[in-house]
Amino acid sequence: MVQDQLLTRDIRDPRTLAAMAEVPRHWFVDDAMQGQAYGDHPLPIGGGQTISQPYIVAYMTQALGLQGHEKVLEIGTGSGYQAAILSRLCSQVFTVERINSLLAGARRIFDKLRCFNIRSKLDDGTLGWAEFGPYDAIIVTAGGPEIPAPLIAQLADPGRLIIPVGDQHEQVLQLLEKKDGQELISSLAGVRFVDLVGEHGWNK
Ligand code: SAH
């Protein structure tokens, strides 16, 4: 997976590559899909949700530019795979999921993998997690109509936030960089994510 899908594309950060090589992705997918766990595509994880394609996980992780000392907030725990990758690259991960069964499954794997620096909760992540902010980096792994204002407020200065923004069919990965009191937004790749559902996301 690392050789064929990441190194041949634009994943260059050695720490991201090492984390992608170490975390057993097959632990995060159902028994029926074990054979496809390392394929170059997203996979269903139940509840109509998906675990992102390995390349997208690596791409978003690399874009955060983590050095190791950071506190990171993830919105959309899902299978827990992205959080487990992040847990090896920063000091603390806070992750929020709105579907209880997914969160329960992810927590079991965090324990099994001994990811003791991950804290998780069941909630609407478009509100962020104010108690432990501000965060050096924020990653949203579901697509919304705009960047939720509470997340911008909970981002440290300097800080980086990455989120898919668009309609419910396709989005663009947006990177918001906060620095010296300024916010700079750049558009990265086109992507397709499941809906970010919540007060500052899509309504359902
Ligand atoms: N990072 C996950 C990707 C999961 S898909 C992984 O590595 O597997 C996106 C997840 O975002 C889904 O589990 C969905 O339930 C969750 N989600 C959608 N809107 C949310 C919200 N407002 N707060 C928290 N989680 C949300």
Side-chain angles (χ1 to χ4, degrees), residues 49-50 74 76-79 82 97-98 102 124-125 141 195 197:
Q49 309 304 321
T50 54
E74 180 197 28
T77 316
S79 68
Q82 174 76 71
E97 171 57 53
R98 61 182 284 276
L102 291 175
D124 172 6
T141 62
D195 292 353
V197 179

Side-chain angles (χ1 to χ4, degrees), residues 25 28 45-47 49-52 57 74-83 95-99 102 121 123-127 140-143 193-199 201:
R25 184 170 160 94
F28 297 85
I45 53 173
Q49 309 304 321
T50 54
I51 175 174
S52 302
V57 173
E74 180 197 28
I75 308 306
T77 316
S79 68
Y81 180 65
Q82 174 76 71
T95 182
V96 185
E97 171 57 53
R98 61 182 284 276
I99 300 178
L102 291 175
K121 75 161 173 174
D123 207 344
D124 172 6
T126 67
L127 302 170
V140 184
T141 62
F193 275 79
V194 298
D195 292 353
L196 179 67
V197 179
E199 197 171 319

Side-chain angles (χ1 to χ4, degrees), residues 14-80:
R15 298 177 72 244
T16 299
L17 290 164
M20 295 291 297
E22 284 166 15
V23 174
R25 184 170 160 94
H26 63 280
W27 285 16
F28 297 85
V29 308
D30 287 346
D31 289 349
M33 271 164 309
Q34 289 296 308
Q36 298 175 64
Y38 295 88
D40 193 14
H41 45 72
L43 285 170
I45 53 173
Q49 309 304 321
T50 54
I51 175 174
S52 302
Q53 179 189 4
Y55 171 66
I56 294 295
V57 173
Y59 184 90
M60 292 175 79
T61 303
Q62 177 171 267
L64 295 177
L66 301 173
Q67 308 286 316
H69 60 273
E70 297 87 353
K71 201 158 70 170
V72 179
L73 175 67
E74 180 197 28
I75 308 306
T77 316
S79 68

